[in-house]
């Protein structure tokens, strides 16, 4: 089938996630055909470095034979096994055990989902059930962080704090609350790490006080806020928030959907901060995007309370595809690759990525470079002193994405002119250098735009 007819079929029938439907109909789809390592090729044969690993998920890179073989083997042997009726499959059991062994602290109990959104959604159900089991059903208020992203399910979208996920959808619900982000580049308390930590702890305390400590169930964080623009908290922030939750008797949920599986260096970013959450969510790198899968980790205490609370009755939460054997086989193969070279390579090239991006700081459009490991962002401004964002009328997100694409680079271009990077951990030095070179070329071309120049001199 010719790409042109594919574009027409897509236009007529395929609804794309988080897109302007009318805008997409006009622009048409770009079809990707093949991938190898950190490179993808489109239907016209154009090769691009995937600086965003699909949607920050193809951590292992494309074309990994070990993953493909594991999936194929499992498809032949047993393509599906339900977890209902006390049934199971070997890869799912082995993956749960392997994850529990590697997880921080006593996060020993794993519930598999299909991705991150239903993992977050599952945490809400588990947490509500946990407090019912404890005889505290009134603990039903949830707090998350501004600029946070916790998926697109009906409940998760309300924990998410990005306006596009709320407008027109009737969320957040009245039990979903937010505190300000640690976003250090634009924080009203300034950029001093200790001041930011103090302000966040105070904001959490104040919010719990306002809602009534006996009513608050849980606090959700991403170790690094991804979809909000790769916002890295000051060192010690995560631990301070975790400690505060323990003191206030509210559950601490770490959403590691992006940060898990080597994205920031270790297997889980919580390890960077030496903390153990009460619940943890993962997806994306768990199967490197080869098959859909997510997971919720429950601590011993949360699991035992739920189990005892339910007693002989069923805990009524389940999905047809929970612990899918093919996804689990893929997860095991990914884990093997991570631990036999990929995590180490990611840490090495992550330093090259950060150094390369920091080398762009002298560019007239670069306001801030931030990140950790293979997760980074470059925030563009037209005035460095005033931190003036690129003019919205310039549609910086779309324009920069298109331009980077023409330069052979896939990058996340947020609508406010922040560029996001999350390349596969298998990147070579050359791949990283190409990402940096192509970014600089894209920035130079953007600098030449009349409306951007006008905003800079105006
Ligand atoms: N939580 C976080 C932190 C995420 O970044 C995402 C997706 O980007 C999700 C949850 C939702 O995951 P999914 O898109 O797999 O449903």
């Amino acid at each position: 089938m010719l790409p042109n007819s594919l574009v027409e079929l897509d236009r007529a029938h395929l609804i794309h996630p988080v897109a302007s439907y009318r805008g997409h109909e006009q622009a048409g789809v770009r079809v990707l055909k093949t991938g190898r390592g950190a490179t993808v090729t489109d239907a016209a044969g154009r090769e691009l470095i995937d600086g965003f690993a699909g949607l920050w998920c193809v951590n292992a890179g494309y074309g990994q034979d070990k993953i493909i073989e594991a999936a194929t083997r499992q498809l032949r042997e047993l393509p599906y096994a339900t977890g209902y009726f006390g049934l199971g499959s070997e890869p799912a059991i082995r993956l749960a055990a392997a994850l529990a062994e590697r997880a921080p602290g006593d996060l020993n109990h794993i519930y598999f989902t299909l991705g991150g959104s239903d993992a977050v959604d599952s945490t809400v159900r588990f947490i509500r059930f946990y407090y019912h089991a404890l005889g505290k059903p009134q603990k039903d208020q949830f707090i998350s962080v501004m600029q946070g992203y916790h998926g697109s399910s009906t409940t998760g979208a309300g924990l998410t704090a990005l306006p596009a996920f709320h407008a027109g959808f009737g969320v957040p619900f009245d039990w979903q609350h937010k505190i300000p982000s640690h976003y250090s580049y634009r924080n009203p308390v300034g950029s001093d790490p200790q001041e930011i930590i103090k302000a966040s702890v105070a904001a959490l305390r104040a919010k719990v006080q306002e809602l009534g400590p006996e009513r608050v169930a849980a606090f959700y964080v991403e170790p690094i806020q991804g979809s909000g623009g790769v916002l890295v908290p000051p060192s010690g922030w995560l631990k301070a928030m975790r400690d505060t939750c323990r003191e206030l008797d509210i559950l601490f949920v770490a959403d590691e959907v992006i940060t898990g599986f080597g994205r920031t260096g270790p297997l889980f970013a919580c390890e960077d901060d030496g903390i153990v959450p009460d619940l943890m969510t993962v997806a994306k790198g768990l199967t490197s995007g080869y098959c859909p899968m997510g997971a919720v980790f429950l601590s011993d205490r949360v699991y035992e309370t739920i189990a005892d609370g339910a007693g002989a009755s069923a805990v009524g939460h389940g999905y047809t595809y929970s612990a899918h054997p093919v996804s689990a086989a893929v997860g095991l193969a990914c884990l093997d690759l991570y631990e036999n070279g990929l995590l180490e390579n990611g840490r090495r090239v992550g330093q090259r990525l950060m150094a390369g991006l920091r080398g762009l700081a002298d560019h007239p459009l670069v306001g801030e470079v931030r990140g950790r490991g293979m997760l980074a962002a470059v925030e563009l401004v037209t005035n460095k002193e005033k931190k003036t964002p690129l003019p919205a009328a310039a549609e910086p997100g779309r324009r920069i994405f298109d331009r980077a694409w023409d330069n052979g680079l896939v990058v996340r271009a947020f609508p406010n002119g922040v560029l996001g990077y999350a390349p596969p951990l298998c990147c070579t030095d050359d791949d990283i250098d190409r990402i940096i070179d192509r970014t600089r070329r894209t920035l130079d071309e953007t600098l030449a735009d009349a409306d951007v120049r006008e905003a800079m001199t105006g």
Side-chain angles (χ1 to χ4, degrees):
M1 186 177 290
L2 291 170
N4 269 354
S5 55
L6 268 190
V7 172
E8 286 314 316
L9 289 174
D10 171 85
R11 201 170 256 140
H13 301 296
L14 186 62
I15 299 174
H16 287 251
V18 193
S20 151
Y21 294 173
R22 294 295 180 225
H24 177 76
E25 287 164 9
Q26 226 178 356
V29 68
R30 288 177 162 118
V31 178
L32 291 171
K33 283 277 279 193
T34 62
R36 188 136 287 268
T39 300
V40 289
T41 307
D42 74 4
R46 176 198 295 273
E47 287 196 351
L48 304 109
I49 297 282
D50 188 355
F52 204 61
L55 196 66
W56 15 43
C57 58
V58 189
N59 293 13
Y62 298 91
Q64 290 281 9
D65 285 335
K66 283 193 171 158
I67 303 178
I68 297 160
E69 281 157 18
T72 312
R73 209 179 310 123
Q74 190 57 44
L75 277 165
R76 284 217 176 84
E77 205 169 288
L78 183 69
Y80 177 78
T82 182
Y84 282 61
F85 324 133
L87 303 180
S89 73
E90 181 170 345
I93 296 164
R94 290 208 183 282
L95 182 60
L99 291 173
E101 192 186 322
R102 289 156 179 79
D106 66 342
L107 292 169
N108 286 321
H109 310 273
I110 321 284
Y111 177 77
F112 286 114
T113 62
L114 282 73
S117 294
D118 53 339
V120 170
D121 202 78
S122 296
T123 62
V124 174
R125 286 180 56 78
F126 286 134
I127 291 169
R128 292 298 306 268
F129 198 97
Y130 166 83
Y131 283 119
H132 274 83
L134 275 182
K136 297 179 180 174
Q138 71 281 7
K139 262 173 122 44
D140 59 1
Q141 304 292 300
F142 289 66
I143 303 172
S144 54
V145 182
M146 297 297 296
Q147 271 99 18
Y149 184 68
H150 299 289
S152 190
S153 74
T154 300
T155 47
L159 295 168
T160 287
L162 302 175
F165 290 82
H166 295 171
F169 290 105
V171 292
F173 296 111
D174 60 8
W175 48 269
Q176 298 177 316
H177 313 273
K178 312 287 179 305
I179 63 166
S181 168
H182 43 71
Y183 191 6
S184 64
Y185 185 59
R186 298 180 187 278
N187 198 313
V189 305
S191 59
D192 177 65
Q194 293 317 314
E195 288 305 313
I196 292 175
I197 293 172
K198 242 184 0 194
S200 292
V201 168
L204 181 58
R205 282 188 199 285
K207 183 57 79 180
V208 170
Q209 209 49 46
E210 171 197 327
L211 298 169
E214 70 293 345
R215 300 254 359 238
V216 180
F219 175 62
Y220 283 66
V221 288
E222 298 158 85
I224 291 176
Q225 292 191 294
S227 302
V230 187
L231 309 178
V232 186
S235 173
W237 185 91
L238 203 64
K239 178 155 188 341
M241 302 312 278
R242 203 285 166 258
D243 291 347
T244 307
C245 285
R246 191 173 280 125
E247 185 197 317
L248 295 171
D249 188 28
I250 59 184
L251 293 172
F252 181 91
V253 186
D255 186 347
E256 290 237 26
V257 166
I258 289 175
T259 53
F261 301 99
R263 183 53 57 209
T264 72
L267 201 57
F268 304 109
C270 281
E271 293 173 41
D272 280 326
D273 300 83
I275 63 141
V276 181
D278 295 303
L279 296 94
M280 184 168 85
T281 49
V282 299
K284 299 193 186 274
L286 171 60
T287 48
S288 255
Y290 281 63
C291 281
M293 187 176 235
V296 182
F297 292 61
L298 303 182
S299 69
D300 286 342
R301 174 170 65 115
V302 172
Y303 172 80
E304 296 299 342
T305 305
I306 290 173
D308 286 344
S313 305
V315 177
H317 181 60
Y319 301 137
T320 299
Y321 298 119
S322 180
H324 194 282
V326 179
S327 299
V330 165
L332 283 168
C334 287
L335 206 49
D336 191 45
L337 287 172
Y338 292 141
E339 295 187 331
N340 288 292
L342 274 182
L343 289 187
E344 204 182 315
N345 190 67
R347 283 193 282 267
R348 195 181 59 77
V349 290
Q351 286 181 7
R352 194 176 184 92
L353 175 73
M354 288 311 303
L357 292 176
R358 292 221 158 90
L360 299 172
D362 63 349
H363 193 280
L365 285 177
V366 173
E368 189 187 49
V369 176
R370 52 182 179 253
R372 194 195 302 156
M374 290 287 264
L375 182 59
V378 174
E379 179 152 354
L380 305 184
V381 293
T382 54
N383 182 318
K384 294 196 187 206
E385 211 167 301
K386 293 186 186 152
K387 302 181 179 174
T388 316
L390 261 61
E395 285 189 274
R398 202 172 60 80
R399 200 188 288 183
I400 292 166
F401 182 87
D402 289 349
R403 198 163 262 156
W405 183 279
D406 290 341
N407 286 325
L409 171 66
V410 186
V411 67
R412 175 79 175 260
F414 292 96
N416 60 348
V418 172
L419 304 187
Y421 297 82
L425 307 184
C426 68
C427 274
T428 62
D429 287 355
D430 275 355
D431 290 332
I432 298 290
D433 295 348
R434 274 190 211 112
I435 291 173
I436 305 300
D437 291 348
R438 291 171 191 187
T439 298
R440 189 176 274 282
R441 199 180 319 152
T442 302
L443 295 185
D444 286 344
E445 289 168 4
T446 305
L447 188 60
D449 285 340
D451 48 3
V452 171
R453 291 221 70 82
E454 196 183 305
M456 294 182 81
T457 51

